[in-house]
Amino acid sequence: MLQSDSDVLTDPKSSSPDTKKRRARIRSNGAAEPQKLQEIQQFPKWARLPIHRVEAAGAPAGFAFAAGAGLALLDQILRSCANGSSVGEKGGGGGDEPVFAGALRQRLALRAAAACAALLRLREDDGALRDAEHLAGFDAAPTPGARLHRLWRLFATRQGQNNARLDAAFMRTAADCLELPPHIDCEALTALLQEESTRENPVGSAARVSAASLQSMSDAPQIDAEIFAVWLADLVLARRLGWAAPLPLLATTIMHPSMRTATGRRPRPSDPDWSVCVARATARAAQEAYALAAELSRRSAMLSSVAPKLRAKKAARVVDLLLADDCVSPARAAKAAGLSDRASRRLFDRLIELGAVRELSGRANFRLYGL
């Protein structure tokens, strides 16, 4: 099996009948028809977050406008695929998510986890969080940072379930990632989200849900409860916008030093101006997510363009993994695609050579690859 894979990889000019048949079979097992990606234009200046402090006159209106404009532009990207109408049917117009939506969602999850880890004064940075998620053994106990990362990666499991199965069990799964007390009323939190998902102002709903949920978790550790409240805010925002699955947005920016108030405090859901802070942080998060989406769109287009050149058996499955996640290890790719470890490593070497993926760990061993 290993020899057979290597023959195809290292003998590109072979034209024997068996090789031709095999290449034809590989192509037939290959990637589906590539999605036609629309070019994402530069984020317009008129939609950028104004440079105002929260306390400045007129700042709330400016933040609200920027948040709405940023979310609308991000919404266009999330409905930019014209292959179907499932999202549009739920959300009120547009198509399916682009092929890189999974990578976008999980890379934002990494950013959110890193921001929350810093708030909790954990030692894990981006690289450590990636290693804990993608390289740890199945029987290894997750570190606090790994549980935090899984909290945000849970959003990807909501794909196609925007208006279904928002239940207490899902809430409890998320709360367990933060080791919140078992007596937290997840039924009440679910009812709160469902009620706020019907309100007209999505950003306002996100602010109200986070503030109200924090009050209901008064006996939980304060910072853990704040992180959970922000997680709930992103969840209700996505439901209100009709997205196929939530994007981690608010946590990526609300704890940034630039979001601090005039007194130097970071915003908290219990603050009286919390709704203004949420609008400001959402505007910045949408702008940054838009830029990340543009970058991933270019990289996914490059990956899709070189996919037909890949001769490794079942390479299309590896391409799908790369488009769906922040990063992929060769071992995971080998297991998912039914490749040998050697063939998997050669495939990633080939993708690097073609400029289709990047090596993200910076190590010689235990490497991780992604867009």
PDB file of all heavy atoms in Angstrom, residues 5-32:
ATOM      1  N   ASP A   5       1.260   4.008  -3.087  1.00  0.00           N
ATOM      2  CA  ASP A   5       1.051   5.445  -2.935  1.00  0.00           C
ATOM      3  C   ASP A   5       2.262   6.224  -3.421  1.00  0.00           C
ATOM      4  O   ASP A   5       2.154   7.239  -4.095  1.00  0.00           O
ATOM      5  CB  ASP A   5       0.800   5.796  -1.462  1.00  0.00           C
ATOM      6  CG  ASP A   5      -0.579   5.352  -1.039  1.00  0.00           C
ATOM      7  OD1 ASP A   5      -1.406   5.103  -1.927  1.00  0.00           O
ATOM      8  OD2 ASP A   5      -0.788   5.231   0.177  1.00  0.00           O
ATOM      9  N   SER A   6       3.446   5.730  -3.072  1.00  0.00           N
ATOM     10  CA  SER A   6       4.657   6.445  -3.419  1.00  0.00           C
ATOM     11  C   SER A   6       4.852   6.476  -4.928  1.00  0.00           C
ATOM     12  O   SER A   6       5.336   7.448  -5.480  1.00  0.00           O
ATOM     13  CB  SER A   6       5.860   5.770  -2.750  1.00  0.00           C
ATOM     14  OG  SER A   6       5.704   5.784  -1.359  1.00  0.00           O
ATOM     15  N   ASP A   7       4.468   5.399  -5.603  1.00  0.00           N
ATOM     16  CA  ASP A   7       4.625   5.373  -7.047  1.00  0.00           C
ATOM     17  C   ASP A   7       3.868   6.504  -7.716  1.00  0.00           C
ATOM     18  O   ASP A   7       4.357   7.173  -8.609  1.00  0.00           O
ATOM     19  CB  ASP A   7       4.105   4.035  -7.587  1.00  0.00           C
ATOM     20  CG  ASP A   7       5.048   2.898  -7.252  1.00  0.00           C
ATOM     21  OD1 ASP A   7       6.197   3.194  -6.853  1.00  0.00           O
ATOM     22  OD2 ASP A   7       4.630   1.736  -7.370  1.00  0.00           O
ATOM     23  N   VAL A   8       2.661   6.706  -7.251  1.00  0.00           N
ATOM     24  CA  VAL A   8       1.849   7.746  -7.865  1.00  0.00           C
ATOM     25  C   VAL A   8       2.403   9.116  -7.555  1.00  0.00           C
ATOM     26  O   VAL A   8       2.385  10.024  -8.378  1.00  0.00           O
ATOM     27  CB  VAL A   8       0.395   7.628  -7.383  1.00  0.00           C
ATOM     28  CG1 VAL A   8      -0.436   8.758  -7.959  1.00  0.00           C
ATOM     29  CG2 VAL A   8      -0.179   6.282  -7.794  1.00  0.00           C
ATOM     30  N   LEU A   9       2.937   9.275  -6.356  1.00  0.00           N
ATOM     31  CA  LEU A   9       3.445  10.584  -5.954  1.00  0.00           C
ATOM     32  C   LEU A   9       4.745  10.930  -6.664  1.00  0.00           C
ATOM     33  O   LEU A   9       4.997  12.082  -6.999  1.00  0.00           O
ATOM     34  CB  LEU A   9       3.691  10.608  -4.442  1.00  0.00           C
ATOM     35  CG  LEU A   9       2.459  10.753  -3.572  1.00  0.00           C
ATOM     36  CD1 LEU A   9       2.818  10.442  -2.140  1.00  0.00           C
ATOM     37  CD2 LEU A   9       1.894  12.146  -3.691  1.00  0.00           C
ATOM     38  N   THR A  10       5.585   9.931  -6.880  1.00  0.00           N
ATOM     39  CA  THR A  10       6.928  10.229  -7.368  1.00  0.00           C
ATOM     40  C   THR A  10       7.085   9.969  -8.840  1.00  0.00           C
ATOM     41  O   THR A  10       8.156  10.168  -9.385  1.00  0.00           O
ATOM     42  CB  THR A  10       7.954   9.367  -6.607  1.00  0.00           C
ATOM     43  OG1 THR A  10       7.609   7.986  -6.799  1.00  0.00           O
ATOM     44  CG2 THR A  10       7.932   9.707  -5.133  1.00  0.00           C
ATOM     45  N   ASP A  11       6.036   9.515  -9.505  1.00  0.00           N
ATOM     46  CA  ASP A  11       6.155   9.212 -10.936  1.00  0.00           C
ATOM     47  C   ASP A  11       5.082   9.954 -11.720  1.00  0.00           C
ATOM     48  O   ASP A  11       4.203   9.362 -12.337  1.00  0.00           O
ATOM     49  CB  ASP A  11       6.006   7.701 -11.140  1.00  0.00           C
ATOM     50  CG  ASP A  11       6.379   7.295 -12.561  1.00  0.00           C
ATOM     51  OD1 ASP A  11       7.006   8.121 -13.254  1.00  0.00           O
ATOM     52  OD2 ASP A  11       6.031   6.171 -12.971  1.00  0.00           O
ATOM     53  N   PRO A  12       5.146  11.270 -11.709  1.00  0.00           N
ATOM     54  CA  PRO A  12       4.070  12.058 -12.290  1.00  0.00           C
ATOM     55  C   PRO A  12       3.942  11.887 -13.796  1.00  0.00           C
ATOM     56  O   PRO A  12       2.892  12.157 -14.354  1.00  0.00           O
ATOM     57  CB  PRO A  12       4.443  13.504 -11.927  1.00  0.00           C
ATOM     58  CG  PRO A  12       5.920  13.477 -11.742  1.00  0.00           C
ATOM     59  CD  PRO A  12       6.230  12.155 -11.191  1.00  0.00           C
ATOM     60  N   LYS A  13       5.029  11.460 -14.473  1.00  0.00           N
ATOM     61  CA  LYS A  13       4.972  11.394 -15.926  1.00  0.00           C
ATOM     62  C   LYS A  13       4.602  10.002 -16.436  1.00  0.00           C
ATOM     63  O   LYS A  13       4.561   9.757 -17.636  1.00  0.00           O
ATOM     64  CB  LYS A  13       6.311  11.831 -16.505  1.00  0.00           C
ATOM     65  CG  LYS A  13       6.644  13.291 -16.202  1.00  0.00           C
ATOM     66  CD  LYS A  13       7.943  13.691 -16.850  1.00  0.00           C
ATOM     67  CE  LYS A  13       8.248  15.161 -16.563  1.00  0.00           C
ATOM     68  NZ  LYS A  13       9.529  15.578 -17.144  1.00  0.00           N
ATOM     69  N   SER A  14       4.392   9.093 -15.514  1.00  0.00           N
ATOM     70  CA  SER A  14       4.046   7.750 -15.930  1.00  0.00           C
ATOM     71  C   SER A  14       2.733   7.752 -16.692  1.00  0.00           C
ATOM     72  O   SER A  14       1.783   8.430 -16.344  1.00  0.00           O
ATOM     73  CB  SER A  14       3.921   6.858 -14.690  1.00  0.00           C
ATOM     74  OG  SER A  14       3.445   5.595 -15.084  1.00  0.00           O
ATOM     75  N   SER A  15       2.699   6.982 -17.774  1.00  0.00           N
ATOM     76  CA  SER A  15       1.489   6.960 -18.595  1.00  0.00           C
ATOM     77  C   SER A  15       1.024   5.531 -18.849  1.00  0.00           C
ATOM     78  O   SER A  15       0.367   5.267 -19.837  1.00  0.00           O
ATOM     79  CB  SER A  15       1.751   7.681 -19.918  1.00  0.00           C
ATOM     80  OG  SER A  15       2.825   7.073 -20.589  1.00  0.00           O
ATOM     81  N   SER A  16       1.437   4.612 -17.983  1.00  0.00           N
ATOM     82  CA  SER A  16       0.999   3.241 -18.147  1.00  0.00           C
ATOM     83  C   SER A  16      -0.506   3.152 -17.971  1.00  0.00           C
ATOM     84  O   SER A  16      -1.115   3.993 -17.292  1.00  0.00           O
ATOM     85  CB  SER A  16       1.701   2.350 -17.124  1.00  0.00           C
ATOM     86  OG  SER A  16       1.247   2.667 -15.837  1.00  0.00           O
ATOM     87  N   PRO A  17      -1.137   2.150 -18.572  1.00  0.00           N
ATOM     88  CA  PRO A  17      -2.600   2.027 -18.433  1.00  0.00           C
ATOM     89  C   PRO A  17      -3.055   1.955 -16.990  1.00  0.00           C
ATOM     90  O   PRO A  17      -4.061   2.556 -16.610  1.00  0.00           O
ATOM     91  CB  PRO A  17      -2.889   0.734 -19.190  1.00  0.00           C
ATOM     92  CG  PRO A  17      -1.783   0.607 -20.179  1.00  0.00           C
ATOM     93  CD  PRO A  17      -0.575   1.163 -19.493  1.00  0.00           C
ATOM     94  N   ASP A  18      -2.287   1.195 -16.165  1.00  0.00           N
ATOM     95  CA  ASP A  18      -2.694   1.086 -14.752  1.00  0.00           C
ATOM     96  C   ASP A  18      -2.653   2.439 -14.062  1.00  0.00           C
ATOM     97  O   ASP A  18      -3.530   2.781 -13.269  1.00  0.00           O
ATOM     98  CB  ASP A  18      -1.770   0.109 -14.025  1.00  0.00           C
ATOM     99  CG  ASP A  18      -2.027  -1.319 -14.468  1.00  0.00           C
ATOM    100  OD1 ASP A  18      -3.083  -1.563 -15.086  1.00  0.00           O
ATOM    101  OD2 ASP A  18      -1.159  -2.176 -14.204  1.00  0.00           O
ATOM    102  N   THR A  19      -1.599   3.210 -14.362  1.00  0.00           N
ATOM    103  CA  THR A  19      -1.483   4.530 -13.736  1.00  0.00           C
ATOM    104  C   THR A  19      -2.603   5.454 -14.174  1.00  0.00           C
ATOM    105  O   THR A  19      -3.184   6.189 -13.389  1.00  0.00           O
ATOM    106  CB  THR A  19      -0.130   5.168 -14.090  1.00  0.00           C
ATOM    107  OG1 THR A  19       0.902   4.311 -13.637  1.00  0.00           O
ATOM    108  CG2 THR A  19       0.010   6.540 -13.431  1.00  0.00           C
ATOM    109  N   LYS A  20      -2.927   5.383 -15.482  1.00  0.00           N
ATOM    110  CA  LYS A  20      -4.012   6.236 -15.973  1.00  0.00           C
ATOM    111  C   LYS A  20      -5.328   5.877 -15.313  1.00  0.00           C
ATOM    112  O   LYS A  20      -6.113   6.752 -14.929  1.00  0.00           O
ATOM    113  CB  LYS A  20      -4.132   6.097 -17.494  1.00  0.00           C
ATOM    114  CG  LYS A  20      -3.005   6.747 -18.268  1.00  0.00           C
ATOM    115  CD  LYS A  20      -3.222   6.575 -19.770  1.00  0.00           C
ATOM    116  CE  LYS A  20      -2.125   7.283 -20.549  1.00  0.00           C
ATOM    117  NZ  LYS A  20      -2.301   7.097 -22.015  1.00  0.00           N
ATOM    118  N   LYS A  21      -5.566   4.559 -15.180  1.00  0.00           N
ATOM    119  CA  LYS A  21      -6.814   4.144 -14.529  1.00  0.00           C
ATOM    120  C   LYS A  21      -6.844   4.618 -13.088  1.00  0.00           C
ATOM    121  O   LYS A  21      -7.875   5.052 -12.578  1.00  0.00           O
ATOM    122  CB  LYS A  21      -6.935   2.626 -14.581  1.00  0.00           C
ATOM    123  CG  LYS A  21      -7.223   2.078 -15.966  1.00  0.00           C
ATOM    124  CD  LYS A  21      -7.323   0.565 -15.936  1.00  0.00           C
ATOM    125  CE  LYS A  21      -7.584   0.008 -17.337  1.00  0.00           C
ATOM    126  NZ  LYS A  21      -7.626  -1.475 -17.332  1.00  0.00           N
ATOM    127  N   ARG A  22      -5.688   4.519 -12.417  1.00  0.00           N
ATOM    128  CA  ARG A  22      -5.662   4.908 -11.019  1.00  0.00           C
ATOM    129  C   ARG A  22      -5.890   6.409 -10.848  1.00  0.00           C
ATOM    130  O   ARG A  22      -6.622   6.840  -9.972  1.00  0.00           O
ATOM    131  CB  ARG A  22      -4.327   4.534 -10.398  1.00  0.00           C
ATOM    132  CG  ARG A  22      -4.282   4.905  -8.934  1.00  0.00           C
ATOM    133  CD  ARG A  22      -3.119   4.276  -8.233  1.00  0.00           C
ATOM    134  NE  ARG A  22      -3.202   4.576  -6.825  1.00  0.00           N
ATOM    135  CZ  ARG A  22      -2.304   4.179  -5.965  1.00  0.00           C
ATOM    136  NH1 ARG A  22      -1.304   3.447  -6.348  1.00  0.00           N
ATOM    137  NH2 ARG A  22      -2.437   4.507  -4.700  1.00  0.00           N
ATOM    138  N   ARG A  23      -5.254   7.182 -11.738  1.00  0.00           N
ATOM    139  CA  ARG A  23      -5.449   8.633 -11.640  1.00  0.00           C
ATOM    140  C   ARG A  23      -6.906   9.002 -11.894  1.00  0.00           C
ATOM    141  O   ARG A  23      -7.465   9.888 -11.260  1.00  0.00           O
ATOM    142  CB  ARG A  23      -4.537   9.349 -12.633  1.00  0.00           C
ATOM    143  CG  ARG A  23      -3.081   9.330 -12.204  1.00  0.00           C
ATOM    144  CD  ARG A  23      -2.188   9.919 -13.270  1.00  0.00           C
ATOM    145  NE  ARG A  23      -0.805   9.893 -12.846  1.00  0.00           N
ATOM    146  CZ  ARG A  23       0.224  10.116 -13.666  1.00  0.00           C
ATOM    147  NH1 ARG A  23       0.000  10.367 -14.941  1.00  0.00           N
ATOM    148  NH2 ARG A  23       1.453  10.080 -13.203  1.00  0.00           N
ATOM    149  N   ALA A  24      -7.509   8.282 -12.846  1.00  0.00           N
ATOM    150  CA  ALA A  24      -8.927   8.555 -13.111  1.00  0.00           C
ATOM    151  C   ALA A  24      -9.774   8.224 -11.893  1.00  0.00           C
ATOM    152  O   ALA A  24     -10.716   8.944 -11.550  1.00  0.00           O
ATOM    153  CB  ALA A  24      -9.389   7.739 -14.303  1.00  0.00           C
ATOM    154  N   ARG A  25      -9.411   7.116 -11.198  1.00  0.00           N
ATOM    155  CA  ARG A  25     -10.178   6.737 -10.011  1.00  0.00           C
ATOM    156  C   ARG A  25      -9.989   7.754  -8.899  1.00  0.00           C
ATOM    157  O   ARG A  25     -10.932   8.108  -8.186  1.00  0.00           O
ATOM    158  CB  ARG A  25      -9.729   5.357  -9.536  1.00  0.00           C
ATOM    159  CG  ARG A  25     -10.594   4.813  -8.396  1.00  0.00           C
ATOM    160  CD  ARG A  25     -10.232   3.391  -8.048  1.00  0.00           C
ATOM    161  NE  ARG A  25      -8.893   3.278  -7.472  1.00  0.00           N
ATOM    162  CZ  ARG A  25      -7.860   2.724  -8.088  1.00  0.00           C
ATOM    163  NH1 ARG A  25      -7.993   2.243  -9.300  1.00  0.00           N
ATOM    164  NH2 ARG A  25      -6.682   2.675  -7.512  1.00  0.00           N
ATOM    165  N   ILE A  26      -8.750   8.230  -8.763  1.00  0.00           N
ATOM    166  CA  ILE A  26      -8.479   9.243  -7.727  1.00  0.00           C
ATOM    167  C   ILE A  26      -9.283  10.507  -8.001  1.00  0.00           C
ATOM    168  O   ILE A  26      -9.867  11.106  -7.108  1.00  0.00           O
ATOM    169  CB  ILE A  26      -6.960   9.573  -7.682  1.00  0.00           C
ATOM    170  CG1 ILE A  26      -6.205   8.360  -7.131  1.00  0.00           C
ATOM    171  CG2 ILE A  26      -6.714  10.811  -6.841  1.00  0.00           C
ATOM    172  CD1 ILE A  26      -4.699   8.502  -7.243  1.00  0.00           C
ATOM    173  N   ARG A  27      -9.317  10.909  -9.298  1.00  0.00           N
ATOM    174  CA  ARG A  27     -10.078  12.122  -9.611  1.00  0.00           C
ATOM    175  C   ARG A  27     -11.554  11.928  -9.338  1.00  0.00           C
ATOM    176  O   ARG A  27     -12.249  12.830  -8.879  1.00  0.00           O
ATOM    177  CB  ARG A  27      -9.855  12.500 -11.076  1.00  0.00           C
ATOM    178  CG  ARG A  27      -8.428  12.978 -11.366  1.00  0.00           C
ATOM    179  CD  ARG A  27      -8.319  13.554 -12.766  1.00  0.00           C
ATOM    180  NE  ARG A  27      -6.945  13.915 -13.059  1.00  0.00           N
ATOM    181  CZ  ARG A  27      -6.112  13.145 -13.766  1.00  0.00           C
ATOM    182  NH1 ARG A  27      -6.531  11.994 -14.253  1.00  0.00           N
ATOM    183  NH2 ARG A  27      -4.878  13.533 -13.978  1.00  0.00           N
ATOM    184  N   SER A  28     -12.025  10.689  -9.616  1.00  0.00           N
ATOM    185  CA  SER A  28     -13.450  10.446  -9.356  1.00  0.00           C
ATOM    186  C   SER A  28     -13.755  10.441  -7.879  1.00  0.00           C
ATOM    187  O   SER A  28     -14.866  10.761  -7.458  1.00  0.00           O
ATOM    188  CB  SER A  28     -13.870   9.100  -9.959  1.00  0.00           C
ATOM    189  OG  SER A  28     -13.254   8.021  -9.268  1.00  0.00           O
ATOM    190  N   ASN A  29     -12.724  10.083  -7.056  1.00  0.00           N
ATOM    191  CA  ASN A  29     -12.915  10.133  -5.600  1.00  0.00           C
ATOM    192  C   ASN A  29     -12.523  11.487  -5.041  1.00  0.00           C
ATOM    193  O   ASN A  29     -12.542  11.684  -3.839  1.00  0.00           O
ATOM    194  CB  ASN A  29     -12.061   9.057  -4.906  1.00  0.00           C
ATOM    195  CG  ASN A  29     -12.560   7.671  -5.236  1.00  0.00           C
ATOM    196  OD1 ASN A  29     -13.734   7.479  -5.516  1.00  0.00           O
ATOM    197  ND2 ASN A  29     -11.646   6.705  -5.236  1.00  0.00           N
ATOM    198  N   GLY A  30     -12.127  12.378  -5.909  1.00  0.00           N
ATOM    199  CA  GLY A  30     -11.557  13.632  -5.453  1.00  0.00           C
ATOM    200  C   GLY A  30     -12.573  14.623  -4.970  1.00  0.00           C
ATOM    201  O   GLY A  30     -13.727  14.316  -4.731  1.00  0.00           O
ATOM    202  N   ALA A  31     -12.112  15.844  -4.886  1.00  0.00           N
ATOM    203  CA  ALA A  31     -12.966  16.884  -4.336  1.00  0.00           C
ATOM    204  C   ALA A  31     -14.165  17.121  -5.232  1.00  0.00           C
ATOM    205  O   ALA A  31     -14.124  16.906  -6.440  1.00  0.00           O
ATOM    206  CB  ALA A  31     -12.174  18.179  -4.182  1.00  0.00           C
ATOM    207  N   ALA A  32     -15.236  17.559  -4.604  1.00  0.00           N
ATOM    208  CA  ALA A  32     -16.395  17.915  -5.380  1.00  0.00           C
ATOM    209  C   ALA A  32     -16.051  19.149  -6.208  1.00  0.00           C
ATOM    210  O   ALA A  32     -14.997  19.775  -6.070  1.00  0.00           O
ATOM    211  CB  ALA A  32     -17.568  18.210  -4.455  1.00  0.00           C
TER     212      ALA A  32
END
